[in-house]
Amino acid sequence: MPSAYDPGTMARSDKTPDKAPDQATLLQRIDPLFAWVPVAIYAIWVFSKGHEPNQDAYYHVGCAGLYATRGWLSEFPWLPLTVLGESFPNVHLGMHLLLAPLTWFLEPLVALKVATVLMSGGVVISIYLVLRRWEVPHPGVWAMLGPLLSPLFVSWGSSLKGGSLFFILFIWFIDALWDNAPRRVFILAWISVYAYVGAPILIAVLLVYLVIGRIWDGAWPGRIAAAGLGGLAGGYILNPFWPGQWVHTARELSGGLAGYFGSAGRFIGYEWISPPGDLVLRFAFLYLAIWMVLLVRGLDGSRRVPTLAVTGTVIALGLLGASLLGVKHFQLFFIASCLFIPLHYSRTRPWPTAVTLSLLVAAILTAGWATRTSWQDLHSAGRVPAEDYRVMAEQLELLTQPDQMVIVPWDDFPGLFLFSKHNRYPVGMNVAFLRWASEERFQAYTALYQGRVEDPAAIAAEHFEDAQLILLRPSLHPRLLRLLSNHPGSTEVPSRAGSWRMFRVSQTQRR
């Protein structure tokens, strides 16, 4: 397959000499600074008063702290009733090890905030560096505007997610493909397996690369595709969690969680919902509009669109299709768009000045709207304050013996886990972990928090290691609150954190 940078052949052109520094325009000189604008916004968001971390962030920094202080984790005793209890196939191992040193020097919440900015900033700066490598004009401007065109993208920039490290690796994997560098493709594919459960998405990227290369250039780029597949295979076979990693990955990628566990936000995260059309437009309307303009222009037949631009277009739109199945996939669509929209635009020049100015004005206005909307969303009521998790974790240490089971809402586990490793919990991060271990316990847990049981004490004794304390959020679990408030076998324990009500199940009543 021809090399991938030249406008006609996808090979980096070495024919155009760089301008001398004194000939560079002011915009060219300050262009790198633009890429730091989103990073600064993320930092302001994360360290601002009223911003609360997302649930995943607590878990990931909590695990990083364990690797830093306790060494290797072969089991996860804090969730003993789940499939992670006796065998812990850590699908985010790479990020946890990378973040571990932060926990040596910073207290947990500060380490969490710094880690969030580092990971999100790494995505933006990687976009800038790759666009510069691809010789896209004004890469800093593109790297500034691209990540600010959706309130969802901005919000994720102030969050630490399971895929945060993988998003950075994904950008450089794409660059290695376009640079026709099998060794880098092999290494990045291998590392990606240790970074994210969604690493198999790279198989789809390789498939698109193969097919478009064959159709557009008449050649099969088999060597580089084999390097990518070989790297993925190496990561899964030579894996410290083998073969548990295979089983865990297959389960997580099986999908259908909303159908199993009910409405998003109750027993699964909102990231698993299939977004309706109005949300798709809210999340990505300008990305979609720009792609439409690029596609229409590419169909005019007046010029051959470079293979690289075609391949990137198919990848980005394929990721858009995946996003319609689950909101969590929008992040990769946004990242792919930030790479391939500038590339496609620069490789199909010249553009009418009116079109360029219209798109620029629309991008600036949309970036302002998305930033403002994200600020409002991130500082709205609804998230449990980090201080509440700290206070409740300390109170539970006083009320319970070490390793005692406490029944809590599934999405409150990560926050409590970050601040204390004193207790055990029925489920955390994903209720599927409990269901894969025991369908009976899963049904008991969901029935309890839906308030559909007659005797909470009996449920706790039979299914949850004779747990004595039950926490609930009044706004999310009103039926359970009424049940425990009126049940003779439970007594309310004053909670020091306002986010929860806490009840002790009477052991005398159980017997």
Side-chain angles (χ1 to χ4, degrees):
M1 185 175 183
S3 162
Y5 286 83
D6 185 72
T9 66
M10 294 176 60
R12 181 183 301 180
S13 173
D14 296 320
K15 299 178 181 179
T16 303
D18 293 333
K19 291 184 178 181
D22 58 349
Q23 295 178 318
T25 66
L26 176 61
L27 179 59
Q28 289 172 322
R29 290 175 180 174
I30 67 173
D31 182 73
L33 300 178
F34 289 112
W36 291 96
V37 172
V39 183
I41 290 175
Y42 298 154
I44 293 171
W45 264 222
V46 169
F47 284 95
S48 65
K49 184 178 180 180
H51 173 266
E52 304 300 342
N54 60 302
Q55 298 297 333
D56 290 357
Y58 292 113
Y59 164 73
H60 292 303
V61 176
C63 283
L66 287 173
Y67 281 107
T69 58
R70 303 192 186 189
W72 189 254
L73 300 178
S74 59
E75 56 185 19
F76 202 78
W78 301 275
L79 296 175
L81 304 181
T82 73
V83 292
L84 304 181
E86 295 182 359
S87 176
F88 181 47
N90 188 356
V91 293
H92 307 103
L93 174 67
M95 184 167 69
H96 294 164
L97 294 179
L98 186 64
L99 298 180
L102 291 178
T103 65
W104 292 336
F105 308 105
L106 303 172
E107 66 96 9
L109 193 56
V110 175
L112 186 156
K113 293 175 180 291
V114 172
T116 300
V117 176
L118 288 176
M119 290 290 105
S120 300
V123 169
V124 177
I125 300 305
S126 293
I127 290 172
Y128 164 74
L129 292 174
V130 168
L131 291 179
R132 191 177 68 173
R133 282 174 53 80
W134 291 355
E135 299 179 353
V136 172
H138 312 304
V141 174
W142 286 106
M144 174 184 68
L145 291 176
L148 299 180
L149 295 183
S150 169
L152 187 61
F153 201 166
V154 179
S155 296
W156 275 336
S158 62
S159 305
L160 184 67
K161 308 292 288 184
S164 292
L165 176 60
F166 175 76
F167 297 148
I168 299 173
L169 297 174
F170 177 79
I171 294 169
W172 290 103
F173 179 85
I174 293 293
D175 176 69
L177 275 181
W178 300 164
D179 206 15
N180 198 23
R183 183 178 300 176
R184 276 192 285 137
V185 167
F186 178 82
I187 293 172
L188 288 166
W190 191 310
I191 295 174
S192 294
V193 173
Y194 304 145
Y196 188 45
V197 69
I201 192 69
L202 299 183
I203 297 175
V205 173
L206 291 168
L207 180 61
V208 171
Y209 187 82
L210 270 172
V211 172
I212 299 300
R214 180 67 179 89
I215 294 174
W216 223 246
D217 291 326
W220 290 104
R223 183 166 173 260
I224 198 165
L229 293 175
L232 289 170
Y236 282 111
I237 295 173
L238 298 179
N239 192 292
F241 308 110
W242 192 91
Q245 176 94 356
W246 291 73
V247 176
H248 189 88
T249 300
R251 284 169 168 170
E252 287 231 38
L253 297 182
S254 62
L257 293 179
Y260 293 141
F261 307 135
S263 60
R266 295 294 303 275
F267 293 104
I268 63 170
Y270 287 101
E271 61 187 10
W272 287 103
I273 70 171
S274 180
D278 59 331
L279 277 183
V280 174
L281 292 177
R282 186 174 187 268
F283 292 156
F285 74 92
L286 191 56
Y287 294 106
L288 299 177
I290 295 175
W291 274 120
M292 185 62 67
V293 172
L294 293 174
L295 291 173
V296 169
R297 183 174 174 81
L299 294 174
D300 66 6
S302 61
R303 58 179 57 80
R304 174 182 169 83
V305 179
T307 311
L308 172 55
V310 175
T311 306
T313 300
V314 175
I315 290 172
L317 297 183
L319 290 169
L320 173 62
S323 304
L324 301 180
L325 301 177
V327 170
K328 65 184 301 177
H329 300 110
F330 265 113
Q331 184 76 339
L332 283 176
F333 166 69
F334 293 148
I335 290 172
S337 296
C338 287
L339 291 173
F340 296 125
I341 285 177
L343 177 72
H344 201 303
Y345 180 89
S346 67
R347 296 304 192 258
T348 53
R349 292 182 298 169
W351 283 76
T353 303
V355 173
T356 299
L357 290 177
S358 297
L359 291 177
L360 180 60
V361 171
I364 293 173
L365 293 176
T366 302
W369 164 79
T371 302
R372 180 175 180 272
T373 301
S374 174
W375 174 270
Q376 293 174 337
D377 290 345
L378 290 170
H379 290 79
S380 61
R383 288 190 179 183
V384 175
E387 186 59 26
D388 275 15
Y389 282 119
R390 188 195 303 272
V391 170
M392 179 52 69
E394 292 173 353
Q395 185 177 8
L396 289 176
E397 287 191 7
L398 297 175
L399 295 174
T400 60
Q401 297 298 317
D403 299 328
Q404 185 173 334
M405 178 73 66
V406 177
I407 303 175
V408 302
W410 66 278
D411 52 343
D412 284 328
F413 159 76
L416 298 171
F417 168 72
L418 174 65
F419 292 110
S420 174
K421 309 302 185 290
H422 181 81
N423 291 107
R424 299 182 177 191
Y425 307 90
V427 63
M429 291 100 66
N430 188 338
V431 290
F433 299 154
L434 177 62
R435 187 172 199 176
W436 294 336
S438 171
E439 177 70 23
E440 185 178 5
R441 277 202 185 97
F442 165 76
Q443 294 296 342
Y445 181 83
T446 55
L448 175 66
Y449 274 94
Q450 290 171 347
R452 296 187 291 104
V453 298
E454 294 183 0
D455 188 354
I459 292 293
E462 181 177 358
H463 296 287
F464 302 116
E465 295 187 348
D466 212 29
Q468 297 180 22
L469 294 177
I470 300 176
L471 272 64
L472 59 88
R473 295 194 217 173
S475 60
L476 293 181
H477 313 111
R479 292 182 60 181
L480 178 57
L481 176 59
R482 290 194 297 270
L483 175 65
L484 291 172
S485 298
N486 299 319
H487 197 276
S490 64
T491 303
E492 183 163 7
V493 179
S495 171
R496 296 180 183 176
S499 296
W500 301 278
R501 301 277 292 273
M502 179 165 47
F503 291 83
R504 184 183 298 278
V505 181
S506 170
Q507 295 197 34
T508 56
Q509 289 290 336
R510 290 180 189 171
R511 300 190 180 97

